[in-house]
Amino acid sequence: MTKIRILKNFLQPHKIPKKIFQKLKYIYKFKTYQKELFKKKQEIFFEELGLDRKKGVENLNLTKEKFEILPNGMSSEHEVLFSSISLKKSLEIKNILEIGTYDGNNAFLLSKLFPNSNIDTIDLGREDENFRNYYNRETKINEFIEIRNKRISSSGNINFVEMNSVNLLNHKKSYDLIWIDGAHGYPVVCIDIINAIKLIRDGGLILCDDVFKNLKNSDEMYQSIATYETLSLLKSQKLIDLSLVFKRLSSKYNCLDEERKFIAICKKIN
């Protein structure tokens, strides 16, 4: 990978000064980043949603310890958000939909935070090209699926379905909480959001992962401003209430404004 990067720089020498500037900018932002300030902002965001972040963190840590949920590199503030929501009993979360199962760890966590709920989690089938070609699964499909299915089957309140999320257009079930974490670009995430609004019950919550407000380069799967553009339009038309919280608080991921990611929390307006 390093050799390829050096070759690209050699073939495009005019871009080297820009890359050096970007690196220096990152170093400066990284060193001057004030995590405690962003942590306080995050706690205010949670309070505005009627949630207690500190208690959410405590509950999350206890849950992970009790069920031996080990770090997998995918942890972020969405877990704290779920934990905080689970403590607010007035929300009455009984039916949960997760769009994008990935390795099953998030569905497993949801099953423990909401033990009295029913969780439907969906992902593409193994024969789908997007399933096979993304997230480094090309050479280990069977191993990946075996580990995922074992994780999911270890909880009795998780129902896994292989399907393309766009087919939720014909789904009839109503949900109290919907987590959108499938393809992040157009057109899929836009369709997922519209379907979620159709499927969420009055007063229910829709959460969207990996929301970029400013991004120069987008793609269909990993990163895009599609979620933010879609939600902003729906908000402008008074179809949803929209709030954002930081996805991560560490300086590594949060120090650059243009690369900062958020989690969106939406409520349908009737």
Side-chain angles (χ1 to χ4, degrees):
M1 184 63 72
T2 302
K3 291 181 178 178
I4 293 174
R5 190 178 295 114
I6 293 174
L7 179 60
K8 285 183 177 179
N9 289 335
F10 179 76
L11 295 174
Q12 299 175 320
H14 61 288
K15 292 188 177 181
I16 294 178
K18 183 178 180 181
K19 291 180 178 179
I20 293 174
F21 173 77
Q22 290 173 336
K23 185 64 175 179
L24 290 174
K25 179 183 177 181
Y26 176 80
I27 293 172
Y28 173 76
K29 290 285 188 178
F30 181 88
K31 289 185 176 181
T32 58
Y33 180 81
Q34 299 180 49
K35 182 176 179 180
E36 285 303 312
L37 177 61
F38 279 88
K39 183 178 177 182
K40 288 180 181 178
K41 288 182 179 179
Q42 186 81 319
E43 289 174 354
I44 292 172
F45 291 156
F46 273 61
E47 287 175 8
E48 290 173 345
L49 292 166
L51 304 173
D52 189 323
R53 183 180 177 278
K54 290 181 180 179
K55 289 184 178 180
V57 171
E58 293 173 3
N59 182 55
L60 177 63
N61 291 336
L62 288 172
T63 301
K64 285 189 170 185
E65 181 180 354
K66 180 179 179 179
F67 295 101
E68 299 180 347
I69 301 175
L70 301 176
N72 66 345
M74 300 298 288
S75 299
S76 80
E77 286 287 300
H78 76 274
E79 295 183 342
V80 180
L81 194 56
F82 287 137
S83 178
S84 302
I85 290 171
S86 72
L87 295 175
K88 192 170 182 179
K89 303 306 179 184
S90 61
L91 291 174
E92 298 182 349
I93 307 296
K94 299 296 183 182
N95 291 301
I96 300 173
L97 171 63
E98 178 185 53
I99 299 175
T101 310
Y102 188 54
D103 58 10
N105 282 321
N106 190 69
F108 181 82
L109 176 62
L110 286 172
S111 74
K112 302 310 176 186
L113 290 173
F114 301 91
N116 298 317
S117 68
N118 296 305
I119 301 162
D120 292 335
T121 180
I122 68 172
D123 212 327
L124 299 170
R126 69 174 67 199
E127 300 304 323
D128 191 287
E129 288 188 6
N130 284 335
F131 182 85
R132 301 182 69 87
N133 295 332
Y134 286 97
Y135 295 103
N136 301 315
R137 288 181 288 220
E138 301 92 333
T139 60
K140 52 181 180 180
I141 290 290
N142 292 333
E143 178 186 357
F144 178 88
I145 291 175
E146 182 180 353
I147 294 173
R148 179 199 66 190
N149 290 352
K150 182 179 179 180
R151 194 59 162 158
I152 290 172
S153 63
S154 64
S155 284
N157 58 338
I158 300 177
N159 174 44
F160 172 66
V161 180
E162 286 189 356
M163 66 178 291
N164 189 311
S165 61
V166 301
N167 289 294
L168 288 170
L169 179 67
N170 299 315
H171 207 56
K172 304 299 182 185
K173 188 174 179 179
S174 177
Y175 294 94
D176 308 303
L177 176 64
I178 298 178
W179 172 237
I180 301 177
D181 190 20
H184 294 330
Y186 288 114
V188 176
V189 75
C190 179
I191 297 171
D192 287 344
I193 291 169
I194 298 302
N195 283 336
I197 292 173
K198 181 175 70 75
L199 295 173
I200 199 72
R201 57 105 169 148
D202 292 347
L205 296 174
I206 300 171
L207 277 61
C208 303
D209 196 21
D210 294 328
V211 180
F212 286 93
K213 295 173 70 174
N214 302 295
L215 192 65
K216 292 181 179 179
N217 300 311
S218 294
D219 58 58
E220 292 183 8
M221 186 62 68
Y222 296 117
Q223 55 184 28
S224 172
I225 60 172
T227 301
Y228 186 65
E229 288 185 331
T230 303
L231 294 175
S232 295
L233 176 59
L234 292 168
K235 180 183 177 182
S236 71
Q237 296 303 305
K238 296 181 173 55
L239 294 170
I240 63 168
D241 285 327
L242 173 63
S243 300
L244 299 174
V245 302
F246 300 122
K247 177 176 172 66
R248 291 188 171 91
L249 298 180
S250 66
S251 55
K252 179 180 178 180
Y253 297 103
N254 212 45
C255 66
L256 292 178
D257 295 348
E258 61 271 23
E259 296 182 9
R260 187 172 296 143
K261 289 194 283 189
F262 297 83
I263 300 165
I265 302 95
C266 318
K267 275 190 177 183
K268 178 172 60 177
I269 297 176
N270 296 317

